[in-house]
Amino acid sequence: MTTTTPARTTARMAALVSEIRTVVDRGLAPDLTAYLVGERVAPHLGTADLLTPEQREGHLDRYRQHVLHAEPDGSFSVVALVWLPGQETAIHDHVSWCVAGVHEGEESELRYRLAPAAGESCARLVATEQVVNGPGDVCGFAPPGDIHKVRNSCRTTAISLHVYGADVIRLGSSVRRVYTLPTD
C-alpha cells in the first residue's frame, strides 16, 4: 500500500467529517459506532465533489491510500483507497472499528474466521463469506471477527472510502496483523 498525507479537503468531505465526528463523540460501542458512521457515509458515495483529482490517483504496483482526515484527538481517520484492476490486500484484521463504502467501481471481500489449532492440525483460516460491493454499498465491522481480504474485482479503477476508529497517520495503517496461516 502507498500512503499519501492529507491534501485539500473538499466542502463535501468537510461536511462528512463533521457528521462522523458527531457520531464518534457519542462514545457508543464500536459496532454501533460503525453502523451509525456507515449511515453517514452512504449518501456521499458516488458524488462528483467528494474527492479531489489527486485523491483519485492510484499506483501501478499496489493499491493506494490517501489520508483525507485524521481527527486531532486520534478518535477516527478517513481515507480513500484507490485500486487498479486486480489489486488486493493481504489477509488482515484491524486495530479498530471500520466502515468501508464503495465510491466507484467494485470490490470483492473474502471474510474469514480463525480456526484454532486442534490435535495435530495447526491453526488455519476458514473462508466464511464472499461479498461483492458496488457503488454506494457500505459495510462496517468491529474487532474481533474482522479478518478479511479485499480486492478490486472490476476492469476499471475502484475507489472506496474507509473510516477507521484510530489515527492512521500516527499508526501508519489500520491493519493490526497480516495472516499467513493456511486457508480452507
Side-chain angles (χ1 to χ4, degrees), residues 41 45 99-104 107 134 136-139 159-162:
V41 167
L45 296 172
V99 170
V102 177
H103 182 61
E104 179 179 304
E107 294 177 0
D137 290 339
V138 177
C139 63
I159 301 174
S160 50
L161 194 70
H162 296 241

Side-chain angles (χ1 to χ4, degrees), residues 41-64:
V41 167
H44 298 277
L45 296 172
T47 59
D49 59 344
L50 183 64
L51 302 173
T52 67
E54 296 81 19
Q55 294 163 345
R56 300 172 50 81
E57 292 177 1
H59 189 281
L60 290 177
D61 298 328
R62 57 200 159 278
Y63 71 94
R64 186 171 188 182

Side-chain angles (χ1 to χ4, degrees), residues 1 3 65 67 167-175:
M1 166 181 52
T3 302
Q65 174 179 276
V67 179
D167 184 341
V168 297
I169 292 177
R170 185 178 61 78
L171 297 175
S173 172
S174 67
V175 173

Side-chain angles (χ1 to χ4, degrees), residues 89-94 98-102 107-114 124-133 137-142 145-151 179 183-184:
T89 68
I91 300 171
H92 65 282
D93 62 6
H94 293 272
C98 174
V99 170
V102 177
E107 294 177 0
S108 294
E109 177 188 18
L110 185 54
R111 298 174 183 170
Y112 296 90
R113 71 173 172 80
L114 180 62
R124 67 189 193 293
L125 294 171
V126 177
T128 60
E129 184 177 16
Q130 178 146 0
V131 179
V132 177
N133 293 307
D137 290 339
V138 177
C139 63
F141 53 80
D146 62 323
I147 304 170
H148 66 164
K149 177 180 187 172
V150 181
R151 71 183 297 270
Y179 291 83
T183 59
D184 287 349

